[in-house]
């Protein structure tokens, strides 16, 4: 009679229950795996055989058929090693358990029988709970992430022998996660370490407050990436729901460290400009999330954005618009969340010193425009704020005055975010940057004086309609930071400053 063991796989960041059926019949010794298993699953034959023998059990000299159901789901990865091995031991009566289907098993086996960490354990456990399975046998390395699901009883074990002993004697209590994992917040990076640069810090604060995308430009070495790295320190804390979602992404990417349970900090991802399209958006043979999903709820920072290949930058279009990415596969599509704050940095010209007082720029007007023209197009359309970062004047460097701490800036950002949450409680958006034309009309009341100024700017700088709505959105955020219900002239004037670079250089 065939034996059934519960296990699971995942697609995107969602778990899917998989039943592993094991049937042993008489015949020439063989082990076949059926049910849309890819090469990585088929390799499990060799691992399971060695693991069983090296753990002191017998491997049957019969014909073994393993069926993974549902058959229409493509299975990849090594997390079926453990359920297969347990199934074989049950079918050959080397263990005797009557409540085997109360448990869900995942784990990769080494040749010696050790349980190795697997990708996607968190979504698998969440799916198990959905399907009324409460007990999970997982590799010890995956214990912490699995324990995030409060109602799950997690039994983390080190090797096949331990799993068998546990099934025989049930002599373990479920894993309890320690308090230590709650305090993984790394507060090291702080704006207090950034001297001067007040106007850029202000621009960053506005961007963080309204969820606006941002470009910083300035000569090499002026501290652009130093400032970008600190953005997560002023963004609101992750909600529990967000934390869990980010952790799922890191779980299926295999990027949770052994000691990490949950991602409690907004991620900051800064891929190098040589990154491939697939590494940026996700996909590939193993289908894993790309940098844009690893940056979900946090910051995606592209330093020297003009060095990135144009076709790589173009794939950012969908995620920037829809806040998720859809990857097509032979059998269906996979979706990963990718809602991030997009921040990038660039030199204002090929030599880097245009507009700087430190050194004379040696580029011609033509060279400069050609250089910046790489930026044009759809990507540029999604940037609300541009800010110049300059070298510090000497008196700032020697000044002993302390810079403002991130925690103080964060407080203001969170107040502005709260105003927006209330404002959009009846809408499907959360922050000002997400407003469309209709919502701008509905929620952005501009007073008379401010509207005069806007009119003046409009004609003076020949602003495009798109630039116009961006200025209003950013003014809305500045007014929120100011605690002002109406958008006043000073808010408009500040918002226009954040477009100076782009309207003068590129339009
Ligand atoms: Zn130059």
């Amino acid at each position: 009679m065939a034996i059934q063991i519960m296990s699971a796989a995942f697609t995107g960041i969602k778990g899917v229950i998989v039943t592993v059926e094991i049937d042993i019949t008489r015949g020439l010794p063989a082990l076949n795996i059926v049910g849309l298993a890819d090469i990585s699953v088929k390799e499990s034959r060799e691992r399971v055989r060695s693991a069983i023998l090296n753990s002191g059990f017998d491997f049957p000299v019969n014909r073994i058929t393993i069926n993974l159901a549902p058959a229409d789901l493509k299975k990849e990865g090594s997390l079926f090693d453990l359920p297969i091995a347990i199934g074989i031991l049950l079918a050959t009566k080397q263990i005797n358990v009557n409540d085997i289907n109360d448990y869900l098993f995942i784990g990769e086996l080494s040749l010696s029988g050790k349980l190795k960490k697997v990708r996607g354990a968190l979504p698998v456990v969440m799916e198990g709970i959905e399907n009324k399975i409460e007990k999970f046998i997982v590799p010890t390395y995956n214990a912490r992430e699995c324990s995030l699901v409060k109602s799950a009883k997690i039994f983390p074990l080190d090797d096949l022998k331990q799993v068998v002993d546990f099934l025989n004697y049930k002599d373990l209590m479920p894993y309890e996660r320690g308090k230590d994992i709650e305090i993984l917040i790394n507060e090291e990076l702080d704006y207090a370490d950034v001297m001067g640069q007040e106007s850029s810090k202000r621009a960053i604060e506005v961007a963080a407050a309204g969820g606006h995308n941002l470009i910083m430009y300035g000569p090499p070495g002026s501290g652009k990436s130093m400032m970008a790295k600190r953005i997560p320190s002023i963004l609101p804390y992750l909600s529990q729901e967000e934390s869990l979602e980010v952790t799922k992404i890191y779980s299926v990417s295999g990027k949770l460290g052994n000691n990490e349970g949950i991602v409690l900090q907004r991620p900051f991802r800064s891929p190098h400009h040589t990154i491939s399209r697939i590494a940026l958006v996700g996909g590939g043979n193993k289908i894993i999330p790309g940098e844009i999903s690893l940056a979900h709820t946090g910051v995606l920072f592209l330093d020297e954005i003009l060095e990135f290949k144009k076709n790589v930058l173009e794939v950012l279009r969908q995620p920037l618009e829809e806040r998720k990415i859809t990857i097509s596969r032979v059998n269906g599509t996979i979706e990963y969340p990718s809602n991030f704050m997009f921040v990038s940095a660039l030199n204002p010209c090929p030599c880097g010193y245009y507009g700087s007082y430190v050194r004379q720029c040696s580029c011609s007007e033509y060279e400069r425009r050609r250089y910046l023209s790489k930026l044009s197009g759809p990507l540029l359309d999604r940037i609300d704020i541009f800010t110049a970062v300059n070298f510090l004047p000497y008196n700032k460097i020697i000044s002993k005055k302390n810079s403002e701490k991130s925690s103080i800036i964060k407080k203001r950002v969170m107040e502005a975010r709260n105003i927006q949450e209330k404002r959009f409680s009846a809408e499907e958006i959360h922050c000002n940057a997400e407003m469309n034309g209709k919502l701008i009309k509905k929620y952005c009341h501009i007073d008379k004086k401010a509207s005069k100024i806007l009119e003046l700017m409009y004609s003076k700088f020949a602003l495009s309609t798109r630039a116009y709505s961006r200025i209003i959105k950013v003014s809305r955020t500045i007014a929120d930071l100011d605690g002002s219900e109406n958008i006043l002239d000073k808010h408009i004037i500040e918002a226009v400053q954040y477009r100076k670079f782009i309207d003068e250089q590129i339009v």
Side-chain angles (χ1 to χ4, degrees):
M1 198 187 72
I3 300 270
Q4 276 196 357
I5 305 282
M6 305 303 284
S7 187
F10 57 88
T11 159
I13 57 165
K14 194 178 174 339
V16 186
I17 298 290
V18 172
T19 331
V20 180
E21 274 184 308
I22 297 101
D23 195 25
I24 304 188
T25 49
R26 262 184 250 171
L28 284 178
L31 198 167
N32 291 312
I33 299 178
V34 295
L36 263 192
D38 81 344
I39 292 174
S40 62
V41 176
K42 294 202 162 145
E43 282 170 353
S44 109
R45 287 185 297 204
E46 303 313 316
R47 288 191 301 265
V48 168
R49 189 196 310 268
S50 299
I52 286 181
L53 290 170
N54 290 330
S55 303
F57 302 104
D58 295 327
F59 195 83
V61 201
N62 283 320
R63 186 181 175 80
I64 308 171
T65 309
I66 314 277
N67 179 33
L68 305 174
D72 58 349
L73 171 78
K74 187 154 167 54
K75 285 106 186 153
E76 27 203 322
S78 45
L79 70 186
F80 303 115
D81 289 3
L82 179 63
I84 291 174
I86 292 298
I88 291 173
L89 294 176
L90 264 171
T92 51
K93 305 220 164 33
Q94 299 185 74
I95 29 175
N96 213 341
V97 192
N98 43 27
D99 59 350
I100 196 76
N101 286 333
D102 290 354
Y103 293 88
L104 188 149
F105 296 81
I106 48 167
E108 174 178 344
L109 286 168
S110 76
L111 298 182
S112 64
K114 290 252 177 292
L115 274 172
K116 290 161 75 179
K117 187 176 161 186
V118 292
R119 292 200 283 134
L122 176 60
V124 158
V125 172
M126 290 172 81
E127 185 62 15
I129 289 292
E130 286 274 299
N131 285 273
K132 307 268 186 303
I133 300 172
E134 278 178 4
K135 299 173 185 168
F136 299 85
I137 295 186
V138 306
T140 301
Y141 299 114
N142 291 105
R144 284 190 163 178
E145 57 171 302
C146 295
S147 68
L148 294 174
V149 188
K150 292 224 169 68
S151 50
K153 295 193 175 75
I154 306 295
F155 300 95
L157 295 163
D158 293 333
D159 54 43
L160 183 59
K161 185 89 181 29
Q162 277 190 7
V163 177
V164 171
D165 285 346
F166 171 70
L167 288 172
N168 282 332
Y169 306 114
K170 310 279 167 47
D171 53 352
L172 281 178
M173 295 290 282
Y175 176 81
E176 274 196 47
R177 68 178 164 137
K179 286 210 173 74
D180 51 332
I181 61 167
E182 305 284 359
I183 33 173
L184 276 178
I185 296 186
N186 167 8
E187 297 280 17
E188 278 167 358
L189 294 179
D190 198 294
Y191 279 108
D193 317 328
V194 183
M195 281 182 295
Q197 308 291 13
E198 302 309 331
S199 64
S200 303
K201 281 194 243 175
R202 166 71 182 174
I204 289 171
E205 177 178 337
V206 173
H212 302 284
N213 296 327
L214 167 82
I215 283 187
M216 292 185 270
Y217 59 96
S222 51
K224 289 167 288 188
S225 66
M226 184 191 186
M227 279 195 279
K229 274 185 198 141
R230 284 164 174 75
I231 293 177
S233 73
I234 61 165
L235 291 172
Y237 291 113
L238 284 175
S239 70
Q240 214 179 349
E241 203 181 314
E242 286 175 314
S243 250
L244 210 55
E245 192 167 53
V246 181
T247 309
K248 278 202 274 180
I249 297 172
Y250 279 72
S251 170
V252 301
S253 312
K255 282 207 160 36
L256 284 179
N258 289 345
N259 289 320
E260 278 170 283
I262 183 163
V263 180
L264 288 174
Q265 251 185 334
R266 293 189 185 268
F268 176 86
R269 303 295 299 184
S270 173
H272 190 254
H273 62 75
T274 51
I275 191 173
S276 71
R277 231 175 116 253
I278 284 178
L280 187 63
V281 295
N285 274 342
K286 281 188 160 174
I287 19 167
I288 47 175
E291 288 291 332
I292 59 165
S293 297
L294 295 170
H296 181 61
T297 72
V299 175
L300 179 73
F301 176 57
L302 302 189
D303 200 4
E304 310 262 0
I305 189 173
L306 296 179
E307 303 290 323
F308 283 72
K309 284 195 211 87
K310 216 165 178 172
N311 70 327
V312 170
L313 291 180
E314 260 158 26
V315 293
L316 288 172
R317 233 159 125 172
Q318 190 211 353
L320 280 173
E321 195 72 14
E322 298 170 20
R323 298 172 195 274
K324 63 182 184 197
I325 182 84
T326 316
I327 297 162
S328 303
R329 302 282 296 170
V330 185
N331 35 9
T333 58
I334 289 176
E335 205 178 272
Y336 293 121
S338 63
N339 186 3
F340 51 84
M341 180 174 164
F342 179 59
V343 180
S344 51
L346 56 95
N347 296 337
C349 65
C351 85
Y353 292 93
Y354 180 76
S356 158
Y357 54 82
V358 187
R359 205 185 291 176
Q360 186 95 38
C361 163
S362 57
C363 315
S364 70
E365 171 89 8
Y366 170 76
E367 281 170 328
R368 205 176 72 240
R369 283 190 184 271
R370 213 182 79 141
Y371 174 76
L372 291 173
S373 69
K374 265 179 101 175
L375 247 193
S376 63
L379 195 63
L380 210 52
D381 275 349
R382 285 162 183 87
I383 310 291
D384 291 347
I385 295 180
F386 296 83
T387 182
V389 181
N390 280 310
F391 279 120
L392 284 185
Y394 186 64
N395 59 3
K396 289 264 184 172
I397 297 177
I398 55 165
S399 136
K400 291 272 186 318
K401 205 179 128 229
N402 281 340
S403 289
E404 202 171 31
K405 278 196 185 129
S406 288
S407 56
I408 298 169
I409 308 174
K410 183 198 262 226
K411 217 172 142 233
R412 292 195 296 264
V413 167
M414 285 175 76
E415 275 164 22
R417 289 264 179 146
N418 288 340
I419 295 174
Q420 296 166 64
E421 284 291 344
K422 270 194 208 127
R423 172 180 303 136
F424 301 126
S425 57
E427 316 287 344
E428 278 180 359
I429 63 167
H430 299 279
C431 51
N432 293 334
E434 296 174 56
M435 282 189 285
N436 58 22
K438 208 176 112 206
L439 295 178
I440 290 178
K441 268 203 188 113
K442 190 166 166 190
Y443 292 111
C444 300
H445 186 77
I446 303 165
D447 87 346
K448 253 200 190 131
K449 213 165 135 204
S451 129
K452 267 255 155 60
I453 288 196
L454 199 54
E455 203 185 304
L456 197 77
M457 301 276 184
Y458 197 69
S459 48
K460 188 173 166 197
F461 295 112
L463 297 178
S464 66
T465 328
R466 234 185 269 114
Y468 182 82
S469 65
R470 272 170 205 281
I471 288 173
I472 296 182
K473 284 199 265 190
V474 174
S475 326
R476 180 65 270 168
T477 303
I478 298 169
D480 289 341
L481 279 167
D482 207 12
S484 166
E485 202 172 316
N486 284 351
I487 298 173
L488 308 179
D489 50 348
K490 58 177 178 182
H491 306 139
I492 300 269
I493 291 170
E494 187 181 340
V496 171
Q497 290 301 312
Y498 297 137
R499 290 205 58 89
K500 224 174 114 209
F501 169 76
I502 213 63
D503 293 332
E504 284 173 7
Q505 299 301 319
I506 291 180
V507 172

